[in-house]
Amino acid sequence: MFPPSLKRLPTRLAPDTLHSRVQAPWPRTAVSMGVLLLGGVLHAAAHAEGLVVLPKIEVTGSHIPRIEAQTSSPTQIIRREEIRRTGATTVRELIDSLSGSSQLVNAPNGTRSLSDITANNNSYAAGSSSASLRHLGPQATLVLLNSRRLAPFAMDDDPGMFPNLDTLPLDAIERVEILRSGASAIYGSDAVAGVINIITRRDHQGVELRASHEQSTAASAFKNSSVALTAGFGDLATDRYNLLVNVELYKRNAVTWGEVLGGINPEALKYAPSFGSASTYSNPGNIVEAGGALPGCDPAKIVDGYCMFDRYGRLQAQPSSERANLLVSGQLNFAPQLDGFAELLYSSIDTRLSETYQYYGKPQFTTWFDPSTGRSRMFISRGLPLEHPLNTTGVDDVDFRYRFTDVEPEFTVKSSNYRLLTGLRGIWQGFDWQSAVGTMGGTSVNRQRGFFSDSGFKAVIGDYNHGLESNGTVPVPRDPLFFNRAYRIGQPNSAEVLNALFPSFEHVGRINQTFVDGRMSGPVGSLGGRPIDMAFGFDLRRESLTITPSANLASGDIVGFGVATTDAKRSFGSLFTEANLPVTERLEVQAAARLDKYPGFSANLSPKLGLRFEATSNLMFRATIENGFRAPNLTENAESTRYTFDPVTDPKRCPQARALADDLYVAAAALPDGDPMKAQYESRAAIVTAQECGRNVAAVRSSNPALEPEKAVSSTLGLVIVPADGYLASLDYWHISRRNEIGYKTAQALVNAEDTLPAGVVVRSPFTEDASFTPAERTQYGVNAGSLSAAYSTVENTSRTSTSGLDLALQSRTRTAWGVLTTGAQSSVLLSYYRYSSFLGGYGDNLAGRYNFPRLRASVSAALANGPTTHALRMNYTGSTKLQADYDDTSYSDQSCLDGGWSIGDCRVRRFITFDYFFQYTGVRDLSIGLNVRNLLNTRPPVDYRALGESGGDVIPQDIRDVQRRTVRLTLGYKFL
């Protein structure tokens, strides 16, 4: 129950101490008191003569310690008990449960949200997890640990950088505070969409061991385990010191789709009936012209004459992960008003993502970029020559389909992360102050194997360029020993041969930050007898980042892979100030400003104004408006280059290639079956079309030292109401407008605008290297441009976004005949989301309700505690969306779906509702038993036909919950002291 208003409680000053400092507060209302008690942040002790001691705390969104938790900025607090009820096994899962969290898995690089549980091996930052609020991406969400920044992950998501949530120990968390508004005026860069402040346990005494195991009831292959030991020594109030040690180990097993394929929703096969079928790319392989399987194929794997391979036995649904996290923090009281503190965080993570075996067959080709020459290269799968002993057809260059199952592909990400800081805090002449110095950083080694070495392939198999035109007229000599050298098809091959063909390669990233900061806060005057509190502070940092590829990547020897290089460092700093002005007894103004200086652009000033008005003893209004910003990271404006690949349709060569292909198909149709030229014509037609109408072109992106920071204006307007003792509700409207967004133009966009761009932006090969058209064909079909080689771009301030929405929160705590009932509801309504389009010269469609942008995410929970027993139930809701994205996405419009034979219902991702159950029993001394059942009703997620279609039928839709469904987690805890 809520206590009466502070107006009804007599107060008087108590002597200042560091740990229970009291000011004579001006009267507060039941709104503040209700939030305090409901949030558990008020500690009030009624002493003799009616003395009320109100300790001050630091609330996320302000540098001024306050007596009340509710400031002008909307803040959500998740406490330790609530965290356990969610059933989250990692910090990433906890953040995902927030109504304002978003997972933009299909967004452009730098804005998508990553999770290490998805096979994000197409990202340099594979094996990491990020947080994203308001659909604005990880770089717009600031993650803090104990109110201080974390170092970014040592690899980037081309070009996004963010702290890895997997380095944070879940069991050490006391609470998580989510500031649901911009906060650059308080915390600086990145705090555009909001702030997630993770607070670890403080002044803990005793030793506690907790162990848990979670497993799916629908697919037992999905399981994970964790064990955590937390030990606290010393009482800060009596012993004048406290030391906390937390060690957490986590293990998750790998799961392939082959293990769980039987659990796929049959609806997912509606438009993909061949989904889950075996592949003709197998070992020992197939020769299409010969009718199928080569000798040595297991008879059980032969279907319709072809040797088949179960590719789903390698396609990964969930990577394995092993983590060890260590947190050590200590406090030491030197004097009544002087404390020392220190903190060490260290993590080691080993993530293993399985790869499919390398497959090979006509008419596939792969383009990639060679950084050592600055030119594109192309790998073409050729058939077996006439002279090969396995080619009994009498036809040259026959279609040979093969899978290299004699080398185990591997993809491992081993990362370590650390943060070490120490400092002092105390009280000086009525002012709270603290200062800290520290260092933090990490290393990530991204190692792979199982893909062709260009030089190794030519050495042990042969030159795949045989038969192609060179210098426009002279064909490269045929290679009669192609696939008949050191590598033997379908036979055991030596380690020497396999190492030459499939060498290991890697990227190594290292990041380091050192910092010193300080701040001071306290009363600087009064207004109408009410104290004016101010805060001042500074933050100075030095950071460096290197990303280094292995020699075979840097020389362009690994077929089809991009390369990242970074070698950068910089120093930057900030000054900030903040004031709470009690204009009247009911109206408070929060004003803040922060000046950040980064190299490369002028100092950035981020101001903020907040209002907090207590209209009645049960109603409070609040509002904020502020400027936000994000400074370019080291991969964006320092020495850095990315060599990646973009699919491009060449407007200057694709129409001519289609015309040539049509003529080749006509020529092939005129020939009798068995004519060796028939297959040659058909094969060349397919290759020419693929080369010019959808090939991957090297996209070379460089950093830009002239980048300006991203800027934003964010505002909130809301109210908090306490309709009765024990009940609280809040409603907040928010709006964020972001401009100068940092991004890059795709290769397709550059090629489309080629004639308006400076020379060298779009690079084409000379006609002497034209692999599609002979000189006569160039004349015949009007080809006036060479084949695309590369497109060069720099990171730019390219776009802007505007978004708005509503947050609704309800909370209650009442005593009933069955125990204490606590209820809560959190919901986020997306009203609008607009992206700027350079083609339109303005914003596109409202994306709210479109693909990946549900209008509503919400959760409703209830917990009943009666003595040693607690029961809790939680409902999770995600609204439906269309499959269509922005205005230019015509493939998934309603009409396109109907034209394609789909129903309107199938052109949607339907709403998704699940229920979670929690049980805890503490009736046995020092022992606690917990049970979490997530997705209690075993509900399938809705089928996402877009994700299925864009996978090319080779992987399952990205939502593994379809086969995972209900999971059960058992937790045992024991207190030794």
Side-chain angles (χ1 to χ4, degrees):
M1 301 288 287
F2 288 129
S5 168
L6 275 178
K7 290 180 179 179
R8 304 168 192 162
L9 295 178
T11 64
R12 68 176 177 84
L13 282 174
D16 276 349
T17 67
L18 184 62
H19 309 297
S20 59
R21 184 180 175 206
V22 181
Q23 291 183 342
W26 60 94
R28 298 296 179 192
T29 65
V31 175
S32 297
M33 292 300 297
V35 175
L36 288 169
L37 191 63
L38 189 61
V41 297
L42 174 65
H43 172 66
H47 295 266
E49 302 178 3
L51 174 65
V52 178
V53 181
L54 301 175
K56 297 170 68 176
I57 65 169
E58 183 175 328
V59 179
T60 301
S62 174
H63 288 305
I64 300 175
R66 306 172 59 90
I67 291 176
E68 67 284 287
Q70 281 291 326
T71 67
S72 58
S73 300
T75 305
Q76 178 184 356
I77 301 177
I78 306 175
R79 306 198 172 277
R80 186 171 180 79
E81 295 76 13
E82 297 172 78
I83 293 173
R84 289 179 177 175
R85 292 174 199 161
T86 66
T89 57
T90 65
V91 174
R92 164 72 193 209
E93 289 182 1
L94 174 64
I95 300 303
D96 280 352
S97 70
L98 302 177
S99 60
S101 179
S102 55
Q103 296 84 48
L104 296 179
V105 293
N106 292 325
N109 294 2
T111 59
R112 63 184 175 186
S113 184
L114 292 184
S115 168
D116 90 305
I117 207 167
T118 60
N120 52 20
N121 51 341
N122 63 336
S123 168
Y124 292 118
S128 64
S129 299
S130 61
S132 174
L133 298 176
R134 308 300 193 203
H135 300 284
L136 291 176
Q139 297 196 107
T141 300
L142 179 62
V143 180
L144 304 174
L145 178 66
N146 296 324
S147 300
R148 284 185 169 88
R149 288 175 176 266
L150 293 160
F153 188 60
M155 296 292 292
D156 69 297
D157 187 33
D158 188 26
M161 298 194 72
F162 46 81
N164 183 9
L165 298 180
D166 300 329
T167 64
L168 303 175
L170 183 69
D171 197 68
I173 295 175
E174 181 62 33
R175 68 185 185 275
V176 178
E177 298 179 353
I178 302 96
L179 183 65
R180 298 177 298 183
S181 66
S184 290
I186 305 297
Y187 298 112
S189 178
D190 308 337
V192 173
V195 178
I196 299 173
N197 191 7
I198 297 170
I199 310 297
T200 58
R201 299 160 84 170
R202 288 287 187 269
D203 207 16
H204 175 75
Q205 291 97 41
V207 180
E208 182 179 359
L209 179 67
R210 297 180 63 83
S212 69
H213 179 75
E214 182 180 46
Q215 191 161 326
S216 166
T217 62
S220 60
F222 289 100
K223 53 191 174 185
N224 65 77
S225 301
S226 64
V227 60
L229 178 67
T230 304
F233 308 97
D235 187 319
L236 191 60
T238 59
D239 301 325
R240 300 179 64 180
Y241 79 93
N242 178 258
L243 177 66
L244 173 73
V245 179
N246 174 268
V247 178
E248 185 171 292
L249 305 177
Y250 171 86
K251 183 175 182 179
R252 183 184 65 223
N253 68 308
V255 181
T256 65
W257 283 111
E259 296 176 81
V260 296
L261 202 58
I264 293 289
N265 188 344
E267 284 294 309
L269 309 179
K270 187 173 182 179
Y271 299 117
S274 62
F275 193 74
S277 61
S279 170
T280 57
Y281 294 91
S282 61
N283 190 307
N286 297 284
I287 295 181
V288 175
E289 288 88 341
L294 287 171
C297 181
D298 184 348
K301 297 181 179 180
I302 296 178
V303 178
D304 295 331
Y306 284 87
C307 187
M308 309 300 288
F309 175 78
D310 179 16
R311 54 188 167 175
Y312 295 98
R314 292 291 307 180
L315 290 172
Q316 195 168 65
Q318 172 179 283
S320 67
S321 181
E322 295 183 4
R323 307 174 193 167
N325 293 328
L326 170 67
L327 174 68
V328 180
S329 64
Q331 303 177 77
L332 179 62
N333 179 223
F334 295 111
Q337 296 186 351
L338 179 63
D339 277 358
F341 60 91
E343 177 182 290
L344 169 66
L345 175 71
Y346 180 81
S347 68
S348 177
I349 303 176
D350 187 346
T351 306
R352 296 179 180 268
L353 303 94
S354 73
E355 297 278 7
T356 58
Y357 292 112
Q358 179 74 58
Y359 61 94
Y360 178 95
K362 293 173 60 178
Q364 299 170 15
F365 73 95
T366 302
T367 58
W368 79 104
F369 192 79
D370 184 349
S372 65
T373 64
R375 302 289 299 278
S376 285
R377 301 170 69 176
M378 180 181 295
F379 177 95
I380 298 178
S381 296
R382 309 298 300 181
L384 295 184
L386 182 65
E387 296 85 355
H388 198 284
L390 293 177
N391 182 2
T392 60
T393 65
V395 178
D396 189 32
D397 198 29
V398 295
D399 190 353
F400 169 58
R401 299 183 181 181
Y402 188 65
R403 196 172 295 260
F404 292 84
T405 60
D406 44 5
V407 62
E408 190 75 13
E410 59 183 24
F411 185 1
T412 62
V413 181
K414 293 187 177 182
S415 61
S416 61
N417 187 84
Y418 64 90
R419 188 173 83 160
L420 175 64
L421 63 87
T422 185
L424 296 171
R425 59 172 169 246
I427 298 175
W428 176 74
Q429 296 188 359
F431 282 83
D432 295 298
W433 65 271
Q434 65 171 283
S435 181
V437 60
T439 182
M440 54 186 171
T443 300
S444 179
V445 180
N446 185 325
R447 181 175 292 116
Q448 292 179 257
R449 188 187 182 212
F451 298 89
F452 292 139
S453 156
D454 181 64
S455 61
F457 188 95
K458 291 175 179 176
V460 303
I461 292 178
D463 188 349
Y464 50 79
N465 288 308
H466 72 81
L468 293 181
E469 297 292 329
S470 175
N471 299 323
T473 55
V474 181
V476 176
R478 292 176 62 257
D479 184 357
L481 295 179
F482 194 69
F483 259 107
N484 197 23
R485 285 187 167 81
Y487 184 86
R488 299 298 178 180
I489 296 172
Q491 300 178 29
N493 286 280
S494 68
E496 181 181 6
V497 168
L498 296 178
N499 288 337
L501 185 58
F502 297 107
S504 295
F505 55 96
E506 66 184 21
H507 281 96
V508 178
R510 291 185 174 88
I511 191 167
N512 175 261
Q513 287 188 2
T514 56
F515 72 91
V516 57
D517 64 29
R519 62 179 182 267
M520 178 179 290
S521 65
V524 296
S526 64
L527 185 62
R530 298 171 294 273
I532 299 173
D533 286 325
M534 290 197 69
F536 311 87
F538 70 93
D539 190 349
L540 302 176
R541 293 180 180 258
R542 172 75 170 172
E543 68 176 348
S544 63
L545 172 67
T546 60
I547 299 177
T548 307
S550 57
N552 49 8
L553 274 175
S555 65
D557 189 55
I558 305 300
V559 174
F561 272 79
V563 181
T565 63
T566 300
D567 186 1
K569 60 184 64 175
R570 65 182 176 184
S571 298
F572 55 95
S574 63
L575 300 172
F576 53 85
T577 185
E578 179 185 350
N580 282 338
L581 306 175
V583 179
T584 69
E585 183 177 318
R586 296 183 178 274
L587 176 63
E588 179 180 291
V589 175
Q590 179 193 24
R594 184 177 178 116
L595 187 69
D596 289 89
K597 181 63 179 78
Y598 286 76
F601 54 88
S602 302
N604 183 86
L605 179 65
S606 301
K608 174 183 178 179
L609 181 66
L611 300 176
R612 180 181 182 276
F613 177 65
E614 296 180 2
T616 70
S617 62
N618 300 93
L619 177 63
M620 181 185 80
F621 293 96
R622 60 190 178 194
T624 64
I625 184 168
E626 80 154 313
N627 286 350
F629 90 108
R630 181 181 78 81
N633 64 48
L634 284 176
T635 68
E636 293 170 332
N637 77 338
E639 189 65 32
S640 181
T641 306
R642 297 294 178 272
Y643 304 90
T644 58
F645 309 96
D646 288 353
V648 173
T649 296
D650 189 348
K652 295 185 177 181
R653 290 170 64 93
C654 178
Q656 294 88 334
R658 292 190 187 280
L660 171 59
D662 289 343
D663 291 343
L664 290 170
Y665 282 126
V666 170
L671 296 175
D673 293 339
D675 190 313
M677 291 304 298
K678 187 180 185 74
Q680 293 282 4
Y681 284 147
E682 293 174 344
S683 176
R684 186 178 176 219
I687 291 175
V688 166
T689 304
Q691 284 177 336
E692 310 299 344
C693 304
R695 65 179 293 185
N696 284 331
V697 171
V700 184
R701 286 188 288 275
S702 302
S703 54
N704 183 358
L707 280 175
E708 291 293 322
E710 296 182 351
K711 297 292 187 71
V713 177
S714 62
S715 57
T716 65
L717 177 64
L719 60 86
V720 180
I721 185 171
V722 180
D725 284 354
Y727 295 87
L728 179 136
S730 66
L731 177 66
D732 293 279
Y733 167 82
W734 52 270
H735 180 271
I736 302 172
S737 179
R738 186 171 63 173
R739 67 186 188 279
N740 281 355
E741 291 180 358
I742 299 172
Y744 50 79
K745 293 183 175 68
T746 65
Q748 184 69 70
L750 294 172
V751 169
N752 290 344
E754 179 182 2
D755 292 339
T756 66
L757 300 175
V761 174
V762 175
V763 179
R764 293 181 178 272
S765 300
F767 284 131
T768 55
E769 298 178 11
D770 194 338
S772 296
F773 301 94
T774 65
E777 289 168 343
R778 287 196 292 271
T779 301
Q780 178 181 353
Y781 296 99
V783 179
N784 299 313
S787 59
L788 287 170
S789 177
Y792 288 80
S793 64
T794 58
V795 182
E796 302 176 75
N797 297 104
T798 59
S799 188
R800 54 182 181 263
T801 300
S802 177
T803 181
S804 64
L806 293 171
D807 289 329
L808 173 65
L810 305 171
Q811 302 176 64
S812 73
R813 183 180 176 87
T814 58
R815 187 172 296 279
T816 71
W818 303 279
V820 177
L821 177 65
T822 303
T823 63
Q826 296 282 341
S827 65
S828 183
V829 180
L830 184 64
L831 298 177
S832 66
Y833 194 100
Y834 292 95
R835 285 182 178 146
Y836 183 82
S837 167
S838 57
F839 295 101
L840 287 179
Y843 287 110
D845 291 346
N846 183 4
L847 298 185
R850 297 285 184 92
Y851 192 60
N852 270 333
F853 292 87
R855 286 188 177 274
L856 175 62
R857 286 198 70 196
S859 65
V860 179
S861 61
L864 181 65
N866 188 356
T869 304
T870 301
H871 297 270
L873 189 67
R874 172 186 168 112
M875 183 194 76
N876 310 287
Y877 178 90
T878 301
S880 64
T881 67
K882 294 183 176 182
L883 293 188
Q884 186 181 19
D886 212 337
Y887 73 97
D888 55 351
D889 181 15
T890 58
S891 299
Y892 291 95
S893 67
D894 288 351
Q895 189 59 51
S896 296
C897 289
L898 291 173
D899 292 343
W902 292 16
S903 69
I904 291 295
D906 291 339
C907 211
R908 305 281 190 277
V909 178
R910 295 176 173 85
R911 67 180 184 181
F912 187 32
I913 302 175
T914 61
F915 292 88
D916 302 333
Y917 170 72
F918 169 76
F919 169 79
Q920 180 175 267
Y921 181 72
T922 58
V924 180
R925 181 181 177 182
D926 297 328
L927 179 69
S928 64
I929 303 172
L931 176 70
N932 293 92
V933 183
R934 288 194 285 180
N935 195 353
L936 180 66
L937 303 182
N938 208 31
T939 307
R940 288 188 183 275
V943 176
D944 183 345
Y945 289 111
R946 177 171 185 147
L948 179 62
E950 292 180 349
S951 72
D954 199 38
V955 294
I956 310 295
Q958 297 172 9
D959 196 343
I960 64 172
R961 292 175 298 177
D962 181 55
V963 288
Q964 191 178 42
R965 302 202 296 282
R966 183 195 298 121
T967 63
V968 177
R969 183 188 187 196
L970 178 65
T971 303
L972 299 177
Y974 187 78
K975 295 181 179 179
F976 292 92
L977 297 173

